[in-house]
Amino acid sequence: MNWKKVFAVIRREYLERVRTKAFWIATFLVPAFFLGYMAVQFASIRKTSGERKVAVVDLTGHLAQPLASELAEREEARRQKTPGSRGIHWILEPWPVAGDLDRTKDLLRKEVLDKKLYGYLVLDPTLLEKDRAEYYSISVSEFVALEQMERAINAVLLREKIRQQGLSAALGKELEKRVDLKTLKVTSKGATEEKGGGIIAAIVFLAIMYMTFFMYGFQNLRGVIEEKTNRIVELVIASVRPTELMLGKIIGIGLVGLTQYLVWSLVAMNLSLPAIAGMMAMGEAGAPTIPVSTIGYFLLFFILGYFLYASIYTAIGAPFNTDQEAQQLAMIPSMLIVSGMAVYPAVMNNPNGGVAVFASLFPFTAPLMMFLRTAVAEPPVWQIGLSILILLLSTAGLAWLAGRIYRVGILMYGKKPTIPEILRWVRYRPGKALQPAAPTAS
Amino acid sequence: MTAAIELENVSKIFGKFPAVDSLSFRVPRGVVFGLLGPNGAGKTTTIRMIMNITAADSGEIRVLGNPMTRETQNRIGYLPEERGLYRKMKVLDHLLFLAAIKEVSREDARRRIGDWVEKLELKPWLKKKVDELSKGMQQKVQFIATVVHDPEILILDEPFSGLDPINTAIIKEYLSDFRQRGKTIVFSTHVLEQAEKLCDEICLLARSKKILEGNLRDLKRRFSKDMLHLAVDAEPSEIASLPGVATSQPVNGGYLVVLAPGMDQREFLRRTLERHPLRGFSAREPELEEIYLDAVKAAGMEETRTIE
C-alpha cells in the first residue's frame, strides 16, 4: 500500500465533491428544512391561543359556574408561570334549554356555523353517570384546547363528588395531585437522570448514520461507475493499485460525509440550539446532554458501518457501466440498511432482549442497533466487543471481496455481466485462466 | 545495458480463448518500437500485461531489467486505448492529480504542466473544466498526462486513433523529440503505414502469436525479393517474357518486376536494355504491409478470421 498515492486519491475525491454546488446546497438545505419544520411546529403551538367562546348547556344546573372559574384559575396559573405567554382564553356562556334538548342543540349548531360561538358543551347528568360529556365544535382536533377542557371538567366533577360524599375539600385537593414519574437510567457508575435529551440525541445520531450509509454508500457506487464511463480508470490504474484506488475513494467520500456533519453541528450550535432550548423549555424534556460515550460509540460504529456498506456498494458498482444496470443489485445493501431500522422499535422497547442482541451482532444491522443499545441501555461489555469483532471481520472480508470484483470489473466494458460471471472474478487468479470474457478491446 | 522491456513466453488466456500465446520480444532502450497487428491480435492485452494492469497467466515480463515494481511504474508514461478524463475536473487539477499518483512533487508537476500547456497552446484552458474542452484539446490533455512525470518509457496503445490530423502531427513531432532524448517508445497500431514511418523495431502479431520481430530496416532487406521498377514502354507480354522474370505487373508508367531466384540484377538490366529502351529503373523495397502479408502466409495463418 503506497499511502502517498492513496492520499492523492483521497484528496481528489474529497475536494472534487466538496467543491460542487450540489454538496453545499444539500448541506444547507437539510438544516434549513429542519429549522423550517421546527418553526412550523412552534408556530402551530403558539397558534392555539385566542378566545374560545363556548356555550354550556348545563342540565345538572350546578356545574357551569364551577367549570368557568376552574378554567379561569388554570389560565391565571399558567400566566403566572410563564408571563407573556399567549394561551387560550375561555369564555363560557351558560345556555338555557329552550324547549327540548334537541331543539336547543339545533339552535346552537346554527350559532356555531354562523361563527357566533366556537362550540358548545353539553353536561347531561345521565351521560355524566356514564362518565361522559359532549363537546361540539367546528374544530375537534385542537388537542391542547380539548385537553384543557377535559382536565377542568374532571377536576370540577371530582370536587363535586367529594362534596356529595361529605368529605373535606382538602382531601379533594390532595386527590387532584398527580405523581410525576422521574426516569433514571441505571448504569454501572450509578444512576443518572434521563430527561429524554440523551435519547433524542441518540435518535438524531442514529438517523444520521442511517442516512449516511445510504447516501454516501451509494456515492461510492456512482463514483466507480463514473470512472468507468469516463474511461479514466485505466489511466489511474497504471499508477495506483486497484485496492489503493478503492480505499482512497471510500475514505475520500466518507470524509465528505463527516464534513457535512461538521457543518451541521456548527449550524446547530449557532442557530438551532436556542430554538431547541426554547422548545425544550416549553415541553417537559430537559436540554440535551449528550454523553461522551454516545459520541464515541457513534464514531466507532459509523466508521465500521460506513466501510462495510461502502465496500458492498463498490463491489456492486464495479462490474457495471451505468447506474441503471447496477440498480437491481444496489437493492441488496439498501434492504440491509432498512432492515436495521425495521427492528428499531423492538430494540428500543427491549434493549437487552433477544431481537436486540441478534440485531446488534448481525453485521449488517449491528452498526445502527449496537449503537442504539449503547445509547439507551447498557449492554454487556462482551456483546459490544463481539459486535465490534464481527463487524471488523465482516468489513475486512467484504472489502477483500469488493477488491477482487473491483480489480476485474473496472476493466470490463460492454456487455452487462451476469452474477455467476461476477462470482467467477472473485475466484479468479492469474495462472488459473478463470477470467470469463475477453475485454472488448484486445 | 538491459533492455527497456523484455517478454519471455508470456501467455494470457480468457476463458478458452488465448489472447496472447507464448509471446517473447525485446525492446532495446532508445528505440521506437511498434507492436503491430490487426484488431484482436492481442496488442492491448500485451500492453496491459506489461503495465501490470492485467496479470499474465504464465511467462515473464521485465521492465528496465526487473519485474514491474511500483518504482518502475512511476517511470513509465502510459496512454491506454480506452482513455478519458474526469469530466468535471479542472484541467490543472486533473493534471496535478495524475502527476501526484506518479509521485511527482507538486512544484515539479506545476512547472512541467506549465511548460507543456505553453507548448500545446492549452494555457487559457487550465482553469476550465474538462467538459468545456473540445475533443482535440482533451486529447492534448491526455498526452500531457502521459508525459508529465518525464517518463523513461512511453507506452502508447493506439495513440493515433481518434486523433485529428493536426494533433497527429503534433504527437508525432513530440515522439521523435522523445526519441532524440534517448527515451524508449512502445506503441501499438493496426495502421501499418504509420508504423512504417515511425518505428525502428517492430513486432508483428496475428491471432495472439508473434509472427515477426526485428529491426525494420533489416526486415525490409530480408524480405526484399529483388524487385525492380522499370520505366519502359512495352506490352505486358513482352515484359513477362524477358529472361529471368518471375512475375511482373504494370504500374504507373512502367512495370514492377520480381526477378527469378538466382537472377543477377545487372545481368537482367543488361539483357532488358538490349530489347527495350529504358526511361529509368529503380530498386524497390517492400512495404511493411507486404512483409506482413508474406509473414502471415509463411506462418500458415492466411485466414486471419478467428474461429470462436
Side-chain angles (χ1 to χ4, degrees), chain A residues 164-176:
Chain A
Q164 282 173 4
Q165 296 288 321
L167 299 169
S168 75
L171 179 66
K173 284 277 177 213
E174 276 304 305
L175 284 173
E176 271 181 64

Side-chain angles (χ1 to χ4, degrees), chain A residues 304 308 363 386-400:
Chain A
L304 286 171
L308 181 87
L386 186 62
S387 170
I388 293 171
L389 185 71
I390 292 175
L391 256 175
L392 273 173
L393 290 177
S394 331
T395 305
L398 278 165
W400 174 84

Side-chain angles (χ1 to χ4, degrees), chain A residues 74-143:
Chain A
R74 282 169 182 258
E75 207 177 311
E76 185 55 35
R78 193 190 64 231
R79 204 169 288 138
Q80 287 200 345
K81 198 176 154 201
T82 45
S85 79
R86 298 191 298 150
I88 298 161
H89 177 56
W90 294 96
I91 301 169
L92 296 194
E93 196 174 312
W95 199 276
V97 179
D100 67 352
L101 184 59
D102 287 338
R103 184 89 55 79
T104 315
K105 278 185 178 177
D106 264 353
L107 194 70
L108 281 166
R109 195 165 59 85
K110 276 184 199 104
E111 292 281 304
V112 171
L113 288 175
D114 289 345
K115 303 246 162 90
K116 286 184 190 143
L117 281 174
Y118 194 79
Y120 61 97
L121 182 71
V122 180
L123 299 170
D124 186 338
T126 53
L127 284 176
L128 285 171
E129 289 282 298
K130 295 176 201 151
D131 302 323
R132 276 175 59 196
E134 284 174 344
Y135 175 71
Y136 300 78
S137 172
I138 34 168
S139 162
V140 290
S141 57
E142 268 192 325
F143 299 108

Side-chain angles (χ1 to χ4, degrees), chain B residues 262-292:
Chain B
M263 186 68 202
D264 182 62
Q265 228 176 46
R266 282 165 299 178
E267 176 66 14
F268 170 76
L269 282 171
R270 199 174 53 76
R271 287 202 203 166
T272 307
L273 275 166
E274 283 169 8
R275 299 192 195 181
H276 303 287
L278 288 178
R279 279 185 280 109
F281 66 89
S282 58
R284 192 183 153 284
E285 277 198 322
E287 278 172 20
L288 192 50
E289 199 175 326
E290 294 167 60
I291 296 177
Y292 178 76

Side-chain angles (χ1 to χ4, degrees), chain B residues 46-58:
Chain B
T46 304
I47 285 178
R48 281 180 172 175
M49 285 191 290
I50 296 172
M51 286 309 298
N52 211 7
I53 289 171
T54 312
D57 289 335
S58 61

Side-chain angles (χ1 to χ4, degrees), chain A residues 1-2 4-5 8-9 11-13 16 19 226-227 229-241 244-245 249 407 411 413 428-442, chain B residues 12-15 17 39-45 48 51 53-57 70 73-74 78-90 93-94 97-98 100-103 106 142 145-146:
Chain A
M1 197 66 69
N2 181 330
K4 230 169 153 181
K5 297 190 180 200
V9 176
R11 185 195 159 102
R12 194 202 82 82
E13 291 292 337
E16 285 306 308
R19 277 177 190 163
E226 198 195 337
E227 277 176 351
T229 43
N230 283 356
R231 298 287 194 268
I232 176 73
V233 70
E234 199 174 340
L235 199 60
V236 177
I237 289 300
S239 312
V240 181
R241 284 205 187 125
E244 290 168 348
L245 179 59
K249 285 185 88 68
R407 202 179 42 146
L411 293 174
Y413 296 117
Y428 163 72
R429 235 177 307 142
K432 296 276 180 201
L434 267 165
Q435 203 164 352
T440 48
S442 49
Chain B
K12 178 79 191 176
I13 298 161
F14 292 126
F17 168 73
N39 291 330
K43 301 188 296 288
T44 293
T45 307
R48 281 180 172 175
M51 286 309 298
I53 289 171
T54 312
D57 289 335
R70 307 309 303 281
Q73 213 171 28
N74 289 344
Y78 175 51
L79 186 68
E81 187 185 22
E82 294 280 2
R83 49 186 174 248
L85 297 165
Y86 289 110
R87 291 182 16 246
K88 298 282 173 208
M89 271 184 109
K90 286 183 181 147
D93 291 336
H94 203 308
F97 167 66
L98 290 170
I101 56 174
K102 288 284 185 195
E103 296 183 64
R106 242 175 137 70
Q142 283 159 352
T146 314

Side-chain angles (χ1 to χ4, degrees), chain A residues 189-302:
Chain A
K189 291 180 200 85
T192 51
E193 192 174 351
E194 182 55 80
K195 287 179 176 168
I199 290 176
I200 290 174
I203 291 170
V204 170
F205 277 141
L206 194 72
I208 285 177
M209 227 196 273
Y210 175 71
M211 226 165 61
T212 310
F213 292 168
F214 258 119
M215 273 172 44
Y216 289 94
F218 198 73
Q219 287 275 314
N220 278 283
L221 180 146
R222 294 203 48 196
V224 171
I225 291 179
E226 198 195 337
E227 277 176 351
K228 278 182 78 176
T229 43
N230 283 356
R231 298 287 194 268
I232 176 73
V233 70
E234 199 174 340
L235 199 60
V236 177
I237 289 300
S239 312
V240 181
R241 284 205 187 125
T243 39
E244 290 168 348
L245 179 59
M246 189 177 110
L247 188 69
K249 285 185 88 68
I250 291 178
I251 295 175
I253 293 171
L255 286 176
V256 176
L258 287 178
T259 305
Q260 201 158 46
Y261 302 156
L262 192 71
V263 175
W264 286 346
S265 349
L266 290 176
V267 171
M269 271 185 241
N270 289 314
L271 281 174
S272 58
L273 214 56
I276 293 173
M279 279 184 68
M280 295 295 175
M282 282 198 62
E284 298 293 300
T289 45
I290 306 167
V292 181
S293 66
T294 300
I295 295 172
Y297 279 126
F298 168 72
L299 284 175
L300 177 71
F301 285 107
F302 167 76

